[in-house]
Amino acid sequence: MKLKFWQKDTAGKPKKKKTKAREWTDAIIFAVVAATIIRVFFIEAYTIPTGSMERSLLIGDFLFVSKVNYGARIPMTPIAFPFAHHTMPLTGTKAYWDGVQWKYRRLPGLSKIKNNDVVVFNFPEGDTVLKEAQDADYYQLLLTSSREELRSQYTILDRPVDKRENYIKRCIAIAGDSISMRNGVAYVNGKAEPLKNTGQMTYTVNFTTSDINLDLIRNLGVRTEDIAQVSDQVYQIKTSAEILTELKKLDFVRSVMLFTEKPGIFDRSIFPHDPNRKWNLDNFGPIIVPKKGWTVTLDSASMPLYKRAIEIYEGNKLEQKGNEWFINGSKADKYTFKMDYYWMMGDNRHSSLDSRYWGFVPEDHVVGKALFIWMSFDSNGSLLNKIRWNRLLKGIH
């Protein structure tokens, strides 16, 4: 029996059979829509491109990040090319249209962000980028250059919140916490929070000889770029506590000492870039992380810490006239925050651009919670050892 190319529906009208082209088009559209819904509201895959979370997360790890745990964020820039974040892969042009912007809204989540969660978020200082040097931090460059000087060398771009670069760090302090750091150890609400065993610090290693077999050190898991020679027999090595234990067992190691910046030395690159605060990478604070409903007094001590949050993240017009502050045209001596904020730091403490450099992460920048590693590739491994089998389906803690 031959099948007819058309048949009548219940209304008596002929119903043509779909062509192959139409079937493929419908299937592609359905797949794109379904995948977009999944990655926006449920789960999305990310990769680790830098060593800022070594050795908790390695370069080449592929993660699944949950949008459900903290509640999926409704797209703030809804008109965008599917599967492209902010830039088209071939043309280098914008992958979104910012002519339509929606207010920040988030669906209910399973939980709130907790201390030590590993979180994916949009880079807070990513609102302004340099087209020809997108890996550079525009605001860090402003510490030594003017906007006019940068404009003469680069094309300056603005990006909406949800189209800023995705970062992954550990949430050291949540909204309302007090965070400080002394000699490389973080303190949350006055309690020491030692670095995880898989995190990395810098150690000064004194060897018994200048004829050092660095391959033995690399074989322990230390990357070449994490080994720096200071003198004939002294090196600075960035590594984890686990690897350090094995390193100390080598018969040509004389001594090992933790290296940290000295207290009281001012580093202008460290948030809030205030000369009145002699803070550096390993010594800063205390800083209170803003919480929704928390009120701060506006004065010369607090404003270096909270000015950007009030003006940029919460969208107020902020002016200073003499010693007085005006918010949206009205004189103000206090401000009550509208959002929760977080303090994020990398586990590779001396190779991580994190909250120590750019301050708080607002809640509207939060993307999701890192769940587990579904694949991991070692670019330095041999052809047969490219896949790190021991990291597959490994949970992130």
Side-chain angles (χ1 to χ4, degrees):
M1 176 180 175
K2 290 185 178 181
L3 295 176
K4 293 183 179 180
F5 286 98
W6 59 272
Q7 60 184 12
K8 291 187 176 181
D9 59 19
T10 54
K13 296 180 180 180
K15 184 177 181 181
K16 293 183 179 180
K17 182 181 178 180
K18 290 182 180 179
T19 64
K20 287 291 183 182
R22 177 64 183 275
E23 288 179 351
W24 275 103
T25 300
D26 289 351
I28 291 172
I29 292 174
F30 175 80
V32 169
V33 171
T36 299
I37 291 173
I38 290 171
R39 67 191 291 267
V40 169
F41 295 102
F42 295 97
I43 197 166
E44 188 172 2
Y46 289 85
T47 184
I48 301 295
T50 70
S52 69
M53 286 293 289
E54 295 269 0
R55 290 187 56 84
S56 303
L57 295 172
L58 306 181
I59 296 174
D61 281 350
F62 290 80
L63 322 174
F64 274 131
V65 174
S66 167
K67 308 294 182 71
V68 177
N69 283 63
Y70 306 139
R73 182 179 60 185
I74 304 299
M76 303 165 78
T77 311
I79 303 177
F81 192 83
F83 311 119
H85 183 40
H86 53 63
T87 305
M88 296 297 290
L90 297 178
T91 63
T93 55
K94 288 198 305 185
Y96 59 90
W97 182 55
D98 50 11
V100 176
Q101 290 286 293
W102 290 348
K103 291 183 178 180
Y104 163 64
R105 290 186 294 272
R106 190 181 293 274
L107 297 178
L110 301 178
S111 66
K112 292 186 176 294
I113 296 178
K114 300 181 179 65
N115 297 85
N116 290 312
D117 279 0
V118 178
V119 181
V120 173
F121 56 93
N122 296 118
F123 178 38
E125 288 194 342
D127 57 338
T128 308
V129 296
L130 306 176
K131 183 178 180 180
E132 296 81 7
Q134 296 193 25
D135 290 338
D137 186 332
Y138 168 78
Y139 290 97
Q140 286 288 324
L141 293 176
L142 274 186
L143 297 175
T144 55
S145 303
S146 67
R147 183 177 174 89
E148 290 70 28
E149 289 173 328
L150 293 177
R151 190 189 297 276
S152 67
Q153 303 174 56
Y154 305 100
T155 304
I156 298 178
L157 305 175
D158 297 325
R159 284 183 182 155
V161 170
D162 57 343
K163 296 304 176 183
R164 297 169 190 174
E165 291 291 351
N166 291 316
Y167 275 35
I168 182 168
K169 308 288 180 185
R170 190 177 298 278
C171 181
I172 301 298
I174 62 174
D177 282 347
S178 171
I179 175 70
S180 61
M181 204 162 186
R182 298 197 294 273
N183 297 318
V185 178
Y187 289 79
V188 179
N189 300 324
K191 180 182 177 182
E193 290 288 341
L195 184 65
K196 305 301 176 186
N197 284 337
T198 51
Q200 291 195 160
M201 289 290 288
T202 303
Y203 299 90
T204 300
V205 183
N206 194 330
F207 295 101
T208 59
T209 176
S210 59
D211 185 18
I212 302 164
N213 186 351
L214 293 179
D215 285 338
L216 290 176
I217 298 174
R218 296 188 189 98
N219 290 338
L220 294 175
V222 180
R223 299 185 303 166
T224 300
E225 55 266 38
D226 289 335
I227 304 173
Q229 187 171 7
V230 178
S231 63
D232 283 347
Q233 297 179 209
V234 179
Y235 285 72
Q236 282 190 345
I237 297 177
K238 295 175 185 175
T239 191
S240 67
E242 294 174 328
I243 294 177
L244 186 68
T245 300
E246 299 302 315
L247 180 64
K248 290 178 178 179
K249 295 178 182 178
L250 298 176
D251 56 11
F252 53 88
V253 173
R254 175 179 285 132
S255 64
V256 177
M257 183 178 296
L258 177 67
F259 173 81
T260 58
E261 299 287 345
K262 294 181 180 179
I265 296 178
F266 173 60
D267 184 346
R268 181 165 50 176
S269 66
I270 297 301
F271 177 81
H273 324 293
D274 179 10
N276 295 315
R277 291 177 165 90
K278 307 299 182 183
W279 292 357
N280 56 53
L281 191 67
D282 296 309
N283 299 275
F284 65 82
I287 302 171
I288 295 177
V289 182
K291 182 176 183 178
K292 183 178 181 180
W294 179 61
T295 301
V296 63
T297 300
L298 307 183
D299 54 31
S300 59
S302 65
M303 288 309 286
L305 292 170
Y306 304 113
K307 181 177 183 293
R308 180 173 173 83
I310 295 171
E311 185 175 25
I312 305 300
Y313 302 147
E314 304 216 344
N316 297 288
K317 182 180 179 182
L318 189 63
E319 297 176 283
Q320 184 179 13
K321 298 178 182 179
N323 294 324
E324 297 179 334
W325 290 94
F326 290 78
I327 297 178
N328 301 323
S330 300
K331 182 181 176 181
D333 55 9
K334 294 181 180 180
Y335 180 78
T336 301
F337 286 94
K338 303 171 186 174
M339 289 192 294
D340 285 335
Y341 291 78
Y342 305 94
W343 188 269
M344 308 286 188
M345 288 171 59
D347 286 356
N348 191 352
R349 288 291 161 82
H350 285 164
S351 292
S352 174
L353 292 175
D354 50 37
S355 285
R356 291 172 293 178
Y357 293 90
W358 32 257
F360 313 112
V361 175
E363 68 174 59
D364 66 351
H365 284 56
V366 173
V367 174
K369 180 179 182 179
L371 293 181
F372 64 91
I373 300 165
W374 63 271
M375 179 56 72
S376 183
F377 289 104
D378 182 0
S379 60
N380 297 317
S382 64
L383 185 61
L384 295 176
N385 295 317
K386 286 287 186 183
I387 298 178
R388 302 184 183 108
W389 296 100
N390 62 330
R391 297 187 65 78
L392 268 58
L393 304 182
K394 181 178 180 181
I396 298 172
H397 306 290

